[in-house]
């Protein structure tokens, strides 16, 4: 019988990959894992306590905050503050960065960007939701961290991951040395290695997009959807349409089975809807490390320079061959990835 390997044991084993870190990154990842277990506990009993529904506040995105959103945000920031390895937290739920200034954090070298509860519109209906996180190494050498420490290109991430709270709870992360998944064993309260060296198939047969917004999509995206729906035995089409409305859940499924996730620009979101810092960069890093591709239609996601904390972006990511085919369709229509080129009238 194969011995169980916990997240903590795995992180310690891999610590040699980061000789400059001296254990700080390992401790930071363990802090995130602890907070995830606390949030998971509340997610699992959310229907039994007064934690569902609106908190009565609006976040920087103009979205109503759910009570569980607020709780998750507090738990992750608290864990990062107590751990002493993080100097700045950039959260989707805060207008500005949260600077951690304490005695134990005075020499902290890491910045964490986090979406504490992705897919929160699904909370009340018991559909899978998640947490997305991204870790950068501080670039400035002294004094208060600068906004430039947070607004780094995605390719400079030292780690990224997500937690999916579903039929089982999993933590999936990468430090640039491949992708590994850990499933929470509630009997021992530990994340255990269950999906080592995760790789996304080069080809898939699932496409994930909110087709209710079809009339607002750029022509190249519309053409690709029609391609996915057409019959062709040589390419195993038509493909299967699967869209949960929780980025973590949709991408987790596609990572395991193969597929493409699409969130283009639209008339309502001319720059795209998903956040570059909290959602696009970490997911792009994970998918690339698993052998996938991530683009905004013209540029690699990880090469985009963020201009502000809550910057939005279009994103297409998943199996290599599927993303490349999508880009071919976009190129045929002149890389129509801007809102001006999105059709907004019903055909």
């Amino acid at each position: 019988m194969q011995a169980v390997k916990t997240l903590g044991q795995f992180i310690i084993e891999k610590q040699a990959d980061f000789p400059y870190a001296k254990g700080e990154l390992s401790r930071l990842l363990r802090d995130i894992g602890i907070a995830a277990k606390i949030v998971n506990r509340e997610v699992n009993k959310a229907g039994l306590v007064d934690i569902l529904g609106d908190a009565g506040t609006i976040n920087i995105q103009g979205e109503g905050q759910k009570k569980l959103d607020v709780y998750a945000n507090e738990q992750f920031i608290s864990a990062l503050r107590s751990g002493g390895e993080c100097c700045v937290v950039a959260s989707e739920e805060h207008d500005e960065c949260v600077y951690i200034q304490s005695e134990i954090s005075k020499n902290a070298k890491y910045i964490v960007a986090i979406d504490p509860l992705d897919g929160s519109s699904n909370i009340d209906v018991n559909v899978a939701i998640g947490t997305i996180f991204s870790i950068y190494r501080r670039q400035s050498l002294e004094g208060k961290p600068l906004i430039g420490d947070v607004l780094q290109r995605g390719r400079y991430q030292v780690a990224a991951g997500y937690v999916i709270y579903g039929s089982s709870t999993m933590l999936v992360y990468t430090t640039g040395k491949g992708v590994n998944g850990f499933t929470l064993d509630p009997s021992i309260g530990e994340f255990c290695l269950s999906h080592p060296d995760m790789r996304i198939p080069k080809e898939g047969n699932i496409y994930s997009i909110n087709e209710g917004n079809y009339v607002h999509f750029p022509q190249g995206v519309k053409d690709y959807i029609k391609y996915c729906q057409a019959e062709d035995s040589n390419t195993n089409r038509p493909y299967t349409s699967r869209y949960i409305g929780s980025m973590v859940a949709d991408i987790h499924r596609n990572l395991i089975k193969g597929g493409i996730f699409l969130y283009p620009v639209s008339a309502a979101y001319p720059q795209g809807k998903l956040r570059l810092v909290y959602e696009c960069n970490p997911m792009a890093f994970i998918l690339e490390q698993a052998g996938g591709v991530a683009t905004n239609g013209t540029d690699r996601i990880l090469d985009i320079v963020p201009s502000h904390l809550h910057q939005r972006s279009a994103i297409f990511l998943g199996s290599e061959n599927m993303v490349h085919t999508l880009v071919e369709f976009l190129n045929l229509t002149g890389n129509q990835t801007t809102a001006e080129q999105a059709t907004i009238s019903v055909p």
Side-chain angles (χ1 to χ4, degrees), residues 143-158:
K144 185 178 179 180
L146 306 174
I147 190 63
D149 290 319
V150 180
L151 299 181
Q152 298 185 51
R153 286 183 175 92
R155 66 173 183 245
Y156 295 126
Q157 292 172 99
V158 295

Side-chain angles (χ1 to χ4, degrees), residues 47-312:
L48 302 175
V49 296
D50 183 25
I51 203 164
L52 286 176
D54 295 319
T57 55
I58 302 295
N59 66 13
I60 183 62
Q61 316 299 336
E63 302 162 336
Q65 292 176 301
K66 299 288 185 176
K67 292 178 183 178
L68 202 51
D69 281 38
V70 175
Y71 179 84
N73 184 58
E74 291 171 350
Q75 291 304 315
F76 279 102
I77 290 178
S78 176
L80 294 169
R81 181 177 283 118
S82 301
E85 309 301 343
C86 177
C87 57
V88 181
V89 180
S91 170
E92 188 183 31
E93 302 299 331
H94 286 271
D95 296 10
E96 305 292 340
C97 294
V98 177
Y99 293 92
I100 299 176
Q101 297 173 310
S102 64
E103 186 61 28
I104 63 170
S105 301
K106 62 182 181 181
N107 296 317
K109 300 181 178 67
Y110 292 96
I111 289 98
V112 175
I114 191 163
D115 180 354
L117 212 60
D118 171 72
S120 57
S121 62
N122 288 320
I123 292 172
D124 290 355
V125 292
N126 204 21
V127 173
I129 53 179
T131 296
I132 307 172
F133 65 89
S134 177
I135 302 173
Y136 294 87
R137 189 170 173 84
R138 178 179 175 174
Q139 300 299 304
S140 59
L141 300 178
E142 57 184 23
K144 185 178 179 180
L146 306 174
I147 190 63
D149 290 319
V150 180
L151 299 181
Q152 298 185 51
R153 286 183 175 92
R155 66 173 183 245
Y156 295 126
Q157 292 172 99
V158 295
Y162 63 81
V163 183
I164 180 168
Y165 311 103
S167 55
S168 63
T169 297
M170 278 189 67
L171 186 153
V172 175
Y173 85 97
T174 181
T175 55
K177 305 283 185 178
V179 180
N180 292 280
F182 301 79
T183 300
L184 182 62
D185 182 345
S187 67
I188 61 173
E190 293 284 355
F191 283 105
C192 300
L193 181 63
S194 56
H195 294 66
D197 193 24
M198 298 177 75
R199 303 290 296 177
I200 185 170
K202 279 200 167 188
E203 190 62 80
N205 65 351
I206 297 172
Y207 70 100
S208 308
I209 187 170
N210 184 355
E211 290 187 69
N213 293 325
Y214 179 86
V215 297
H216 302 290
F217 293 153
Q219 188 59 46
V221 176
K222 290 180 178 180
D223 292 343
Y224 179 73
I225 292 174
K226 292 175 183 175
Y227 167 84
C228 292
Q229 296 170 339
E231 290 192 15
D232 180 18
S233 58
N234 291 330
T235 54
N236 295 315
R237 289 182 286 139
Y239 295 152
T240 300
S241 174
R242 292 285 183 269
Y243 185 72
I244 298 171
S246 167
M247 187 186 192
V248 167
D250 279 310
I251 289 180
H252 181 69
R253 178 201 55 243
N254 291 359
L255 172 59
I256 292 173
K257 294 189 173 184
I260 183 172
F261 177 88
L262 308 94
Y263 217 116
V265 299
S266 66
Y269 295 100
Q271 304 304 318
K273 184 180 180 183
L274 300 183
R275 291 76 177 180
L276 178 63
V277 174
Y278 313 108
E279 296 166 314
C280 299
N281 274 341
M283 285 304 198
F285 189 31
I286 294 165
L287 264 292
E288 283 198 5
Q289 283 296 310
V293 176
T295 176
N296 67 356
T298 56
D299 301 308
R300 178 189 180 211
I301 290 291
L302 298 183
D303 287 339
I304 300 172
V305 181
S307 59
H308 58 276
L309 200 56
H310 299 285
Q311 181 174 336
R312 298 176 188 264

